[in-house]
Amino acid sequence: MKGRTLVLVLILITGVSLATVFFYKDFQKNQPVREYSSNITIDDLYNADAEVAQVLAQLEKSQEKAIIVTGVPGSSRQIALTFDGLTDRNTMQQILVLLKKYNSKATFFVDGLHTVEDPQTLADIKNAGQKIENFTLVGMPKMENLPIERLAKDFCRAEKIVKENATQDPNLLKCNDTKYTEQVLQVAKACGFKNVVQSDAFFNVRQSNAAAIDADAFVAALRPGSIVSVKLLADIELITNEPGKTDLKPAIDKQPGLKEMSQGGLGEPEIALAVEKLLIALQKAQYSTVFVEDYSKMSSKTALRPDYSNYFALLAKIASFLQEQSMALFSCPIAYAAEGIEQPATEIKTIFTTEQALSYTFGGLTKEAVVNDVLERLNTLGIKATFFVSEAEMEKYPQIVRKIIADKHEVGIAIRPKAGASLEETRKSIMSSSRLLKEQFGVSANLVKQISGIVADTTKEAVGSLDYKLIGQSINIVQLKHKDYTSVDAIMAELFRSSIVSLSRGEILYFKMDFYTDNQIVGGLLESIKQNKIDNIAYAAFYDNSTNNRANNSQYRIKPVGEILNNTKYTYQYPVDLQKVPPHLRHDGPEIAIDSHNFLATASQHYIGQNDVSFEDRMIGFSKMDERRLDKTGFVHTQDNVIFLTFDDWGSDAAINKLLYVLRKHNVPGTFFIITNNVLYNPNLLRAIAVEGHEIGSHSDKHKPMAVMDPKTHKYVKTQEKEEYLKDLATSYQKLREVTGDVTVNGKPALTRFFRPPTLAISKMGLEALLDTGYDYIISGSTSTNDYKAKDITQLVDTIKEGVYTQYGEVKKGAILVMHMGDSVIYTPAALDILLTANEAKADSDPSKFKVGRLSDYLFAGYSQINPKRTLRLVHSADNVRK
Ligand SMILES: [Zn+2]
């Protein structure tokens, strides 16, 4: 409930500050004090709606990001000194005097609210020759959690306010205790900020006793080139954490002790004293100060264009630099106080990534023989894994830890908090493990795993507050009942039910090494799992396997957790942020308006049928007359030598990855109609399909056909009521959108509003429900390959050929092949491989050479399945326009 607390506190602060603002304004105008209304929100201050609209429009067009300015590590003894937020005018003036006295340059990041409150201070800063930049509207922490509109509003308003009052253009933005996610950077850029600033070190001036501050120790821990931040804005956490000082629950109009709060209540003279101590310490250590602006010039020189390799390298550098820096600060507790409200870490059980990789993780070093066996087998197999080691283990088995490190495995921190351990105890244990790992073994870790008991909230909070990642597992390999087992096969059989054909991308497996009685079991298991549940995911036809063909990249790799997590080319946010979904795919209502008059006409334009589906077979709710108005060909109208590959249902990585490889190998797109029922257990695989450039359509959530034959009456009947249809269809689309809604390949969204009816059966009610829930094409197809029934590859290749070529060997233009992606479908990838290889060998002039199309390229606006002439005319006029 921390989020709520934060909101409440913000409301309180906002309310108070606004009260002050209006008081101040009225005071100046020498008018009677106006009564402050609690209805006034921050939204009423400086309307920037026009700017916000512009920014949002800009974001639709451009994904450009602001560049992060951070310290520039170097040998010259200089730092950029910044002040974040403003405080009372008296203190501000003292600080300006001090800066002059110690001949220091500083950049003041001012927040919009305080600026409105006290524009004079901005003039003073300017006159003192110091720089003014932007610290957002109220210096709100954790802004990465805000939606795009809120961010845009905040940045635009702040900029408007600061610009108007600063008489110099602020062009740097700094957010308070905020992760600069892609979204934050994009909005900042769209709001006109080329750069955002990330401080490397924080000097806390809000100690109750400034005399106790050891500024020399703080400066000694600094790295030359850092951006040092002095936070003047009262820290929200400091307020919430002082029991008795603030009542968080009162109505806004109660205003308990608020005056005190906005003043910090901590004695402002202390701030000036602390600042002076810092300036003296800097001088003693022979540091000079520069403006942050100077760093931004340096960074824009090196990263002028968004070269991603550089960008990510830079990010990685920043991350490790920051981590080191914060470690240094932790070992010097006076200089650093917890700032902002920390988000508890989420336990990562499966990594959201589309990379063809998963992780082995290990813990428990007490049996050296097992660790040696594991290390040897990993070496032989060329696997790099992640080992979690505890502080006690580092102390007791340093030689084992060294061996793990020497073998180039990743090392993370294992913790075992006692039941009921406090946040502080857990934090300390992580910090001291981390320090030991660094000092004794030279390894900086940023992964933590709680290796016993249920992961407590305090663990999540501690890990989050230290900016580590909390690692869990998708599968715990070691189970109590197997303790005395001596057969790897027996354990495998019980561990993976027959339905678990393979493991999945992004999974984290955990092996506890010191558990089994038999020392060979862990090693045996790690080998068997690779062989039987990972290697089987790769495509290996007789002429195309990883030994014969080096270009066969279908295999899944076993990699350290950190490596997969850091490979941002493949990681993604799940569920997808709705704001990142193209507008036409965002809404849940009907895409095409229908009523009783136009239903049949609309449905017949948007239904691509099937030869076998007719009034007599798998169709209900339509009259014989109606039926004549529905397509039964299953061909897309086109003059091109084009065919379409479609795949139904859902399956394991072993089944679907092979299809993906074959399609990638031949560079052809497919449309995947997904049964969404189980999809959320493996979003990585669904997203991988989309990211590879294929189209995603729905095959319903529960695969209930619109009509089934009643075995007694031999008549077709419905399987669910309309309400159930509506729910099923909406759910299915939403699930697909949650995983793939933001994926575009070459500017085209992967997600479609296409639907493939289960068993191809249709009903009037079902079609109505489909159009009502936003689907736009109901696509059966010209050929059911019945691939799940195929006896061998040859037979399947023949069936597919019948679907593609006429008896004269010409391409059936616009043919849609219905295939499947389930685990029972064994021959489809290889059959397609054969067909596509043969097709590629043909000359371009050969009329039997086909290309494989994307359905959405052919089902353009105005397309009508029931009116081929008009459709083709439209295609031609569109072609003419293009020429
Ligand atoms: Zn199906």
Side-chain angles (χ1 to χ4, degrees):
M1 284 286 97
K2 263 193 160 176
R4 267 185 79 142
T5 313
L6 171 65
V7 171
L8 265 170
V9 172
L10 280 172
I11 291 171
L12 280 171
I13 293 179
T14 311
V16 177
S17 308
L18 280 167
T20 329
V21 172
F22 284 96
F23 183 83
Y24 184 75
K25 275 187 177 164
D26 290 336
F27 180 74
Q28 282 202 322
K29 286 181 210 152
N30 217 358
Q31 281 169 355
V33 176
R34 203 168 58 192
E35 244 197 335
Y36 135 71
S37 150
S38 62
N39 289 334
I40 294 172
T41 66
I42 199 148
D43 286 6
D44 300 319
L45 270 178
Y46 283 84
N47 183 302
D49 288 353
E51 287 88 330
V52 173
Q54 213 174 0
V55 164
L56 293 178
Q58 172 76 16
L59 281 169
E60 298 272 9
K61 280 183 287 180
S62 161
Q63 311 274 296
E64 262 192 274
K65 284 175 268 200
I67 295 165
I68 300 172
V69 175
T70 184
V72 183
S75 51
S76 74
R77 292 188 76 74
Q78 55 173 222
I79 55 133
L81 181 60
T82 72
F83 290 88
D84 296 351
L86 294 170
T87 178
D88 68 289
R89 195 189 292 175
N90 233 338
T91 308
M92 292 309 300
Q93 269 159 359
Q94 287 178 45
I95 291 173
L96 291 171
V97 169
L98 288 170
L99 289 170
K100 194 170 175 200
K101 181 172 166 192
Y102 293 99
N103 195 22
S104 300
K105 290 177 181 170
T107 308
F108 288 82
F109 285 86
V110 304
D111 58 294
L113 198 62
H114 274 85
T115 301
V116 174
E117 205 170 335
D118 185 12
Q120 183 57 44
T121 289
L122 264 71
D124 294 345
I125 296 172
K126 173 101 196 313
N127 292 336
Q130 308 293 1
K131 296 279 182 208
I132 296 168
E133 304 289 0
N134 197 322
F135 194 52
T136 75
L137 195 55
V138 293
M140 179 193 245
K142 305 285 173 209
M143 295 186 79
E144 74 270 21
N145 297 325
L146 296 179
I148 287 176
E149 273 90 334
R150 286 284 310 279
L151 282 173
K153 249 185 189 173
D154 189 298
F155 295 171
C156 285
R157 286 221 179 88
E159 179 67 346
K160 205 167 175 181
I161 295 169
V162 178
K163 242 183 196 167
E164 267 185 48
N165 291 287
T167 63
Q168 80 181 44
D169 267 7
N171 52 33
L172 297 176
L173 176 73
K174 192 197 270 187
C175 300
N176 186 15
D177 191 24
T178 292
K179 285 206 176 80
Y180 288 126
T181 56
E182 265 187 38
Q183 176 168 310
V184 173
L185 294 174
Q186 283 169 4
V187 177
K189 175 73 188 179
C191 291
F193 294 103
K194 258 191 227 140
N195 297 107
V196 297
V197 177
Q198 171 101 60
S199 295
D200 308 306
F202 296 89
F203 185 71
N204 182 16
V205 292
R206 288 191 174 270
Q207 297 285 313
S208 49
N209 179 10
I213 293 179
D214 189 349
D216 290 324
F218 175 80
V219 170
L222 280 180
R223 275 202 171 188
S226 300
I227 297 176
V228 177
S229 172
V230 176
K231 210 177 262 188
L232 297 176
L233 197 70
D235 213 315
I236 287 161
E237 192 173 74
L238 288 177
I239 298 161
T240 57
N241 280 356
E242 285 190 77
K245 189 145 233 168
T246 320
D247 181 0
L248 290 172
K249 290 193 192 76
I252 293 170
D253 59 357
K254 197 174 156 200
Q255 306 180 37
L258 290 172
K259 197 91 195 175
E260 226 178 71
M261 194 170 78
S262 79
Q263 299 251 325
L266 296 164
E268 304 299 301
E270 299 284 333
I271 292 184
L273 206 64
V275 169
E276 181 157 31
K277 290 187 88 168
L278 175 63
L279 294 174
I280 293 172
L282 285 169
Q283 200 175 53
K284 264 203 292 191
Q286 293 182 326
Y287 269 105
S288 64
T289 47
V290 296
F291 295 124
V292 181
E293 206 182 27
D294 302 324
Y295 284 176
S296 77
K297 278 168 196 153
M298 290 169 75
S299 68
S300 56
K301 228 181 275 164
T302 52
L304 206 58
R305 261 179 298 139
D307 175 348
Y308 286 97
S309 57
N310 277 344
Y311 176 70
F312 290 122
L314 182 71
L315 276 186
K317 233 186 204 164
I318 293 167
S320 70
F321 181 57
L322 277 181
Q323 202 196 330
E324 267 183 61
Q325 204 65 45
S326 66
M327 283 303 298
L329 290 171
F330 275 124
S331 55
C332 162
I334 297 164
Y336 184 94
E339 40 156 292
I341 291 172
E342 305 295 351
Q343 286 278 329
T346 323
E347 190 185 9
I348 300 171
K349 294 181 175 171
T350 295
I351 303 164
F352 291 128
T353 181
T354 55
E355 187 175 0
Q356 293 177 180
L358 50 102
S359 285
Y360 277 4
T361 67
F362 298 89
L365 303 188
T366 60
K367 286 178 151 193
E368 189 163 3
V370 180
V371 184
N372 282 334
D373 178 50
V374 164
L375 287 175
E376 212 178 296
R377 298 205 207 207
L378 291 177
N379 257 342
T380 311
L381 295 170
I383 296 172
K384 298 289 176 236
T386 304
F387 287 79
F388 289 97
V389 299
S390 69
E391 192 170 3
E393 288 170 336
M394 285 184 248
E395 277 162 356
K396 218 166 163 193
Y397 312 102
Q399 77 288 356
I400 301 186
V401 177
R402 281 185 214 291
K403 211 168 189 178
I404 293 168
I405 295 166
D407 279 359
K408 303 213 157 54
H409 296 291
E410 180 180 43
V411 179
I413 296 163
I415 54 164
R416 292 171 189 275
K418 292 187 294 266
S422 73
L423 173 60
E424 212 34 55
E425 283 166 336
T426 310
R427 268 170 74 109
K428 276 199 182 126
S429 118
I430 297 171
M431 275 152 61
S432 80
S433 297
S434 173
R435 205 175 309 139
L436 187 60
L437 194 54
K438 177 88 198 171
E439 283 166 8
Q440 295 292 309
F441 304 96
V443 172
S444 322
N446 69 347
L447 305 181
V448 174
K449 182 179 179 69
Q450 180 180 317
I451 48 170
S452 60
I454 294 164
V455 176
D457 285 348
T458 46
T459 300
K460 292 180 186 169
E461 282 163 30
V463 174
S465 73
L466 294 169
D467 224 15
Y468 283 74
K469 294 204 163 98
L470 182 61
I471 306 302
Q473 69 252 339
S474 325
I475 303 174
N476 194 355
I477 298 301
V478 176
Q479 299 190 1
L480 213 54
K481 59 182 175 189
H482 298 145
K483 187 166 177 29
D484 295 319
Y485 276 45
T486 52
S487 155
V488 167
D489 290 347
I491 296 175
M492 285 293 286
E494 290 183 25
L495 210 50
F496 299 98
R497 289 166 289 118
S498 62
S499 62
I500 302 178
V501 180
S502 71
L503 294 174
S504 305
R505 296 170 195 229
E507 282 186 330
I508 300 172
L509 276 60
Y510 179 62
F511 301 81
K512 183 164 158 46
M513 290 184 286
D514 50 3
F515 176 74
Y516 297 109
T517 314
D518 183 336
N519 285 350
Q520 299 293 306
I521 291 288
V522 178
L525 275 172
L526 78 86
E527 277 186 8
S528 178
I529 290 171
K530 177 177 186 296
Q531 233 168 59
N532 298 300
K533 301 294 169 186
I534 299 173
D535 289 348
N536 66 331
I537 296 170
Y539 180 75
F542 52 96
Y543 57 92
D544 182 1
N545 54 49
S546 49
T547 15
N548 286 351
N549 178 16
R550 272 162 183 266
N552 182 328
N553 56 2
S554 60
Q555 192 162 12
Y556 280 22
R557 309 262 164 214
I558 301 165
K559 292 184 171 182
V561 173
E563 203 176 302
I564 301 178
L565 276 173
N566 289 334
N567 202 343
T568 49
K569 192 177 154 197
Y570 300 105
T571 53
Y572 64 97
Q573 189 198 324
Y574 170 78
V576 160
D577 178 358
L578 197 56
Q579 300 300 324
K580 291 188 178 163
V581 176
H584 74 283
L585 295 170
R586 236 178 259 173
H587 68 87
D588 290 323
E591 183 73 4
I592 305 150
I594 50 160
D595 54 40
S596 56
H597 301 292
N598 69 2
F599 168 71
L600 198 61
T602 311
S604 60
Q605 279 168 31
H606 294 264
Y607 170 64
I608 299 170
Q610 227 273 335
N611 196 14
D612 302 333
V613 178
S614 64
F615 183 71
E616 287 80 24
D617 186 3
R618 282 171 286 166
M619 189 185 284
I620 49 174
F622 295 100
S623 68
K624 188 89 189 145
M625 286 278 284
D626 292 346
E627 187 231 28
R628 274 190 231 139
R629 294 179 63 186
L630 295 172
D631 176 63
K632 277 205 289 293
T633 68
F635 288 94
V636 169
H637 302 308
T638 174
Q639 304 281 25
D640 294 352
N641 267 6
V642 66
I643 64 159
F644 303 94
L645 307 178
T646 68
F647 305 93
D648 291 2
D649 304 342
W650 184 239
S652 70
D653 284 57
I656 293 173
N657 185 61
K658 292 183 178 75
L659 281 173
L660 291 179
Y661 168 70
V662 169
L663 298 177
R664 181 164 76 230
K665 176 179 171 184
H666 298 285
N667 193 23
V668 298
T671 304
F672 286 73
F673 291 104
I674 312 279
I675 302 173
T676 50
N677 206 9
N678 289 316
V679 121
L680 299 188
Y681 296 115
N682 192 0
N684 290 342
L685 183 59
L686 173 58
R687 191 167 172 103
I689 299 172
V691 167
E692 292 222 18
H694 306 297
E695 289 184 313
I696 305 292
S698 167
H699 192 39
S700 85
D701 192 50
K702 298 205 178 68
H703 205 261
K704 286 194 181 171
M706 292 183 223
V708 290
M709 189 191 275
D710 183 326
K712 282 183 211 140
T713 62
H714 292 270
K715 282 204 169 124
Y716 279 92
V717 294
K718 65 185 174 191
T719 60
Q720 44 185 355
E721 297 302 327
K722 191 160 183 186
E723 285 306 305
E724 295 172 76
Y725 273 120
L726 291 168
K727 201 168 160 228
D728 179 282
L729 297 172
T731 305
S732 180
Y733 180 69
Q734 281 153 12
K735 285 184 185 173
L736 296 175
R737 189 174 54 196
E738 265 176 33
V739 182
T740 68
D742 63 338
V743 178
T744 55
V745 176
N746 300 326
K748 290 175 183 166
L751 179 63
T752 68
R753 291 180 180 275
F754 298 162
F755 186 82
R756 161 81 33 95
T759 75
L760 308 184
I762 58 162
S763 71
K764 184 165 187 245
M765 184 166 75
L767 260 48
E768 281 168 359
L770 278 161
L771 293 171
D772 273 345
T773 41
Y775 290 91
D776 59 3
Y777 284 96
I778 298 99
I779 302 168
S780 290
S782 55
T783 297
S784 285
T785 60
N786 292 323
D787 52 351
Y788 50 92
K789 287 194 275 191
K791 287 196 190 71
D792 53 43
I793 293 185
T794 327
Q795 191 203 18
L796 182 56
V797 170
D798 288 344
T799 325
I800 293 177
K801 277 183 174 169
E802 278 168 37
V804 176
Y805 306 111
T806 65
Q807 52 180 320
Y808 309 109
E810 289 163 339
V811 174
K812 291 182 175 172
K813 296 176 199 295
I816 299 176
L817 303 182
V818 180
M819 293 169 283
H820 296 83
M821 61 181 116
D823 284 281
S824 55
V825 185
I826 305 159
Y827 304 117
T828 308
L832 278 177
D833 196 0
I834 291 169
L835 180 84
L836 294 166
T837 304
N839 186 57
E840 275 157 21
K842 290 178 182 171
D844 284 346
S845 55
D846 190 331
S848 71
K849 185 169 187 167
F850 59 81
K851 64 173 181 168
V852 180
R854 277 172 69 94
L855 279 168
S856 58
D857 287 342
Y858 286 81
L859 303 178
F860 52 86
Y863 180 94
S864 170
Q865 183 64 13
I866 209 59
N867 196 339
K869 275 189 194 147
R870 199 189 79 181
T871 298
L872 289 174
R873 226 174 21 243
L874 279 171
V875 174
H876 286 301
S877 62
D879 278 349
N880 290 337
V881 172
R882 256 181 258 138
K883 281 162 198 163

